[in-house]
Amino acid sequence: MKPQPGQDGLAERARSVLRHGWDRTRHLWRSSLSFRVVVVTMLLGLLVLSAVGTYLYGAIAQGLIDSRQKIAAEDSLRLAKDAQRQILYTDQTESIAQITQFATELVKSYRQDAGNERRYVVLSRTDNNTAPVAIGPIESNEIGVRFIPTSLRQAVSSSPDRQHLQVATIDENGHEISAVIVGQQVDLPLARTYGLYFIYPMDRER
């Protein structure tokens, strides 16, 4: 595209104005102490504001994550206790088919799809389970056992009386997102020890 008539003249005037402004700024810097003080003060102010803004951003982000982890831990602990109670009192224990049906309905009942409060559930055999009967893993929709970190599964297997929490990345509808994953061990009839995992996507925190 050819320059329009007069564009060269405008460009030259613009360069002239910039050169003049630069020369004047250098002259003021060399000759005026007050100008130097003002400029240095402004630069220091910008640096301080940037540092404070960065700190506040990090503090707020960490606060959101900590709050989400606390809520997830409390919610999953309540649900894990309820799950173990239901397991203890179920009468669907006579066959693998009955246990599988019971476990599937249990996982389905704990899944939650409402708005930002989504919760996925996974029931997976622990690594040290040697029972001859096995079911599952049982997963809620597309978020399955493949998103449970190996270190978290190992912790659930080795410490059956404790709740274990980890932040990991999941793939939700083609989008990678951080999630709080909380696991705790439960004991199923015939199938014995399984890890019950609750996965909480952090959409709002992102």
Side-chain angles (χ1 to χ4, degrees):
M1 180 178 179
K2 294 183 179 180
Q4 297 295 323
Q7 283 187 346
D8 290 341
L10 289 173
E12 182 59 34
R13 284 197 294 272
R15 285 193 292 268
S16 177
V17 169
L18 289 174
R19 282 196 301 268
H20 177 73
W22 175 245
D23 291 340
R24 180 169 176 77
T25 300
R26 285 196 304 173
H27 173 73
L28 287 171
W29 179 263
R30 292 172 180 173
S31 61
S32 175
L33 177 61
S34 61
F35 179 76
R36 293 200 295 271
V37 170
V38 170
V39 172
V40 171
T41 302
M42 289 177 62
L43 290 176
L44 288 175
L46 288 173
L47 288 174
V48 170
L49 286 174
S50 298
V52 171
T54 301
Y55 169 77
L56 289 176
Y57 178 85
I60 292 171
Q62 189 60 50
L64 289 171
I65 293 174
D66 291 344
S67 175
R68 185 57 167 163
Q69 290 180 349
K70 181 180 179 181
I71 293 172
E74 292 173 351
D75 183 63
S76 59
L77 181 61
R78 175 181 59 82
L79 296 177
K81 288 181 177 179
D82 180 72
Q84 189 63 74
R85 180 184 60 80
Q86 292 194 54
I87 291 170
L88 288 174
Y89 289 103
T90 183
D91 57 359
Q92 300 182 52
T93 60
E94 296 181 1
S95 66
I96 296 177
Q98 282 190 342
I99 297 172
T100 301
Q101 179 64 28
F102 166 76
T104 301
E105 292 175 354
L106 189 69
V107 167
K108 184 179 179 181
S109 70
Y110 290 140
R111 181 179 174 180
Q112 184 170 312
D113 297 311
N116 288 320
E117 297 299 330
R118 292 193 307 285
R119 177 177 61 224
Y120 300 101
V121 188
V122 174
L123 184 67
S124 175
R125 183 180 172 99
T126 57
D127 296 339
N128 55 2
N129 187 343
T130 58
V133 175
I135 64 170
I138 298 172
E139 307 168 341
S140 57
N141 207 341
E142 71 279 1
I143 306 299
V145 69
R146 65 191 180 99
F147 292 114
I148 309 300
T150 301
S151 57
L152 182 59
R153 294 203 307 269
Q154 291 173 344
V156 170
S157 297
S158 60
S159 302
D161 298 325
R162 291 182 54 195
Q163 182 187 59
H164 303 272
L165 182 150
Q166 189 169 333
V167 176
T169 300
I170 64 173
D171 187 340
E172 187 180 45
N173 299 320
H175 300 286
E176 288 192 349
I177 184 172
S178 295
V180 179
I181 306 178
V182 189
Q184 190 163 334
Q185 195 173 124
V186 295
D187 198 336
L188 293 170
L190 301 181
R192 307 306 300 169
T193 57
Y194 273 65
L196 182 61
Y197 302 93
F198 298 95
I199 304 169
Y200 302 84
M202 292 196 290
D203 293 278
R204 291 185 301 176
E205 290 73 14
R206 178 179 62 178

